[in-house]
Amino acid sequence: RCRWLAPHRQTTRATMSADHQVRGELMPALVCGGAGTALTNAGQHAELQRMCDADIDAILVIENDSFAAPWPRSAFELALTAPELLCLVAYAGGVAGYLIACPDRQDALIANVAVASDHRRLGFGQDLIEAALRWAENRGANSCRLDVRMSNNAAQRLYRRLGFRRAGVRQGSYPNPREDALTMVRLLNN
């Protein structure tokens, strides 16, 4: 049950439900693997859907719990108005995680990805990133990149398992505490 939204459209779960019958046509199957659900490592079903305004409160809880310098509400609201961005939410009885990716020249950038602490290491992050990789490949991107704190070993392991490799270090990129960012890149099969 995935949904691509028209730009600048205010959406809620109710308006998305009204569009249920056309969801498959609006979000390419290659992003959601057809039905838009995935079985996670823990046997839970994750449903990937297009992010909407109604998700932002739950996303902000995850964002504030996950990052020392969280994105503000306005960043998520702005992302929802940009049709070129991929804004996904993984649902499992509520918002379990989210991802925002954007085109960057001939590449793609995963700008933000996080999973709720009680849903980590269950496959939700992997589902979101794999959907972003399929989206980037469909757009003709040559590679997909992301930044991660040097101290975030769990995320780095996941990214390496998904084919990302170290591409460089950005000195002092993260505040609170100040820390270098490891830039990781995955080449895509185009």
Side-chain angles (χ1 to χ4, degrees):
R1 295 188 321 162
C2 296
R3 174 92 166 87
W4 279 123
L5 304 176
H8 308 291
R9 180 176 171 193
Q10 292 283 4
T11 57
T12 64
R13 285 286 145 239
T15 59
M16 290 178 73
S17 295
D19 295 323
H20 174 70
Q21 295 172 346
V22 294
R23 285 186 184 158
E25 297 173 66
L26 296 172
M27 179 169 255
L30 64 99
V31 171
C32 289
T37 60
L39 192 61
T40 65
N41 295 337
Q44 297 182 19
H45 282 279
E47 186 174 352
L48 300 184
Q49 291 187 9
R50 177 82 163 130
M51 187 184 294
C52 71
D53 295 324
D55 299 321
I56 294 178
D57 287 338
I59 287 168
L60 287 172
V61 170
I62 298 169
E63 178 77 6
N64 289 316
D65 184 51
S66 300
F67 301 109
W71 283 14
R73 174 181 291 276
S74 60
F76 291 99
E77 291 170 342
L78 184 60
L80 290 177
T81 67
E84 69 277 9
L85 300 185
L86 175 66
C87 302
L88 288 179
V89 177
Y91 292 98
V95 175
Y98 58 90
L99 176 141
I100 296 176
C102 59
D104 183 26
R105 294 179 225 109
Q106 290 299 310
D107 301 309
L109 168 68
I110 295 177
N112 194 339
V113 59
V115 174
S117 58
D118 58 338
H119 286 88
R120 291 182 185 151
R121 293 175 182 76
L122 298 176
F124 294 100
Q126 180 173 330
D127 291 345
L128 288 162
I129 293 167
E130 286 176 344
L133 293 171
R134 288 189 299 271
W135 169 81
E137 284 181 334
N138 186 53
R139 294 182 60 87
N142 297 318
S143 66
C144 186
R145 69 181 168 84
L146 53 79
D147 285 341
V148 59
R149 279 186 180 268
M150 293 294 286
S151 62
N152 192 343
N153 295 319
Q156 290 177 39
R157 279 192 300 276
L158 170 63
Y159 303 148
R160 280 193 300 275
R161 195 169 59 246
L162 293 172
F164 285 84
R165 299 295 173 247
R166 180 186 178 121
V169 174
R170 295 185 335 138
Q171 301 292 321
S173 181
Y174 287 102
N176 304 328
R178 194 121 187 102
E179 188 173 356
D180 296 343
L182 174 63
T183 299
M184 301 183 79
V185 173
R186 174 172 160 179
L187 298 178
L188 300 176
N189 301 322
N190 289 322

